[in-house]
Amino acid sequence: MVQLIVGEKGKGKTKHLLDKVNSEIKSISGNIVYLDRSSKHMYELNNKVRLIDVSEYMIENSNEFLGFILGVLSQDHDLEQMYFDGFLAMSNTSLDEFEAVVAKLDKISEKFNVNFIVSISKNEAELPESVKSKIIISL
């Protein structure tokens, strides 16, 4: 399943994402990965959460990002949740591509039993109708 946390930049999406990941680590039996564009939140995450600084991997477009996600999944069969902070910038995905990328993430989620929790620096009104049902927090 894909869940979205949406709102303009500076509204507190990262804090909600960090709170969610740190509370989830206590209740799930599998692994959690947190993807960000830097490692600045390393000390705010529970030490059982694997932080990946995506900026080190030269991802240039949404297809490369999806390939990267599949690579992470192929290395950890116990992975249950992946968190993406600042998804559009991290994955180099335009808003026009967003709907198709979310659809692909849904397919990946179903196939590999992993949940994706995604923060996006856009207002709910700016998003395509097809993804609005996935919004869990709108700031």
Side-chain angles (χ1 to χ4, degrees):
M1 143 177 60
V2 177
Q3 298 176 324
L4 304 176
I5 298 175
V6 302
E8 291 182 12
K9 187 173 174 93
K11 292 289 186 180
K13 295 177 301 299
T14 298
K15 180 175 179 357
H16 283 283
L17 208 60
L18 291 168
D19 289 346
K20 185 165 178 56
V21 71
N22 286 327
S23 66
E24 289 289 323
I25 196 71
K26 299 169 189 163
S27 62
I28 69 167
S29 58
N31 297 329
I32 296 178
V33 172
Y34 187 96
L35 276 68
D36 203 345
R37 290 172 291 163
S38 72
S39 57
K40 70 180 178 181
H41 298 295
M42 179 179 0
Y43 299 109
E44 297 172 67
L45 289 168
N46 184 297
N47 65 351
K48 294 178 183 172
V49 176
R50 180 174 169 209
L51 172 67
I52 299 175
D53 179 356
V54 177
S55 68
E56 296 180 9
Y57 295 94
M58 300 170 279
I59 294 170
E60 294 181 10
N61 58 52
S62 58
N63 285 331
E64 288 181 6
F65 181 77
L66 290 169
F68 180 80
I69 297 305
L70 290 167
V72 172
L73 287 169
S74 74
Q75 294 298 308
D76 188 349
H77 297 288
D78 294 326
L79 191 57
E80 280 189 36
Q81 295 182 348
M82 291 185 84
Y83 290 77
F84 306 147
D85 191 7
F87 177 78
L88 295 175
M90 175 187 351
S91 64
N92 288 309
T93 299
S94 70
L95 198 51
D96 294 336
E97 300 171 295
F98 182 64
E99 192 171 9
V101 173
V102 169
K104 182 74 171 201
L105 284 173
D106 264 333
K107 288 179 184 176
I108 294 169
S109 173
E110 286 179 32
K111 181 168 178 75
F112 296 103
N113 283 334
V114 63
N115 293 322
F116 298 108
I117 299 87
V118 179
S119 78
I120 301 162
S121 294
K122 295 290 179 190
N123 284 323
E124 183 174 345
E126 297 176 81
L127 298 176
E129 281 300 317
S130 65
V131 301
K132 288 185 179 180
S133 64
K134 299 178 180 311
I135 296 172
I136 57 170
I137 299 173
S138 180
L139 302 169

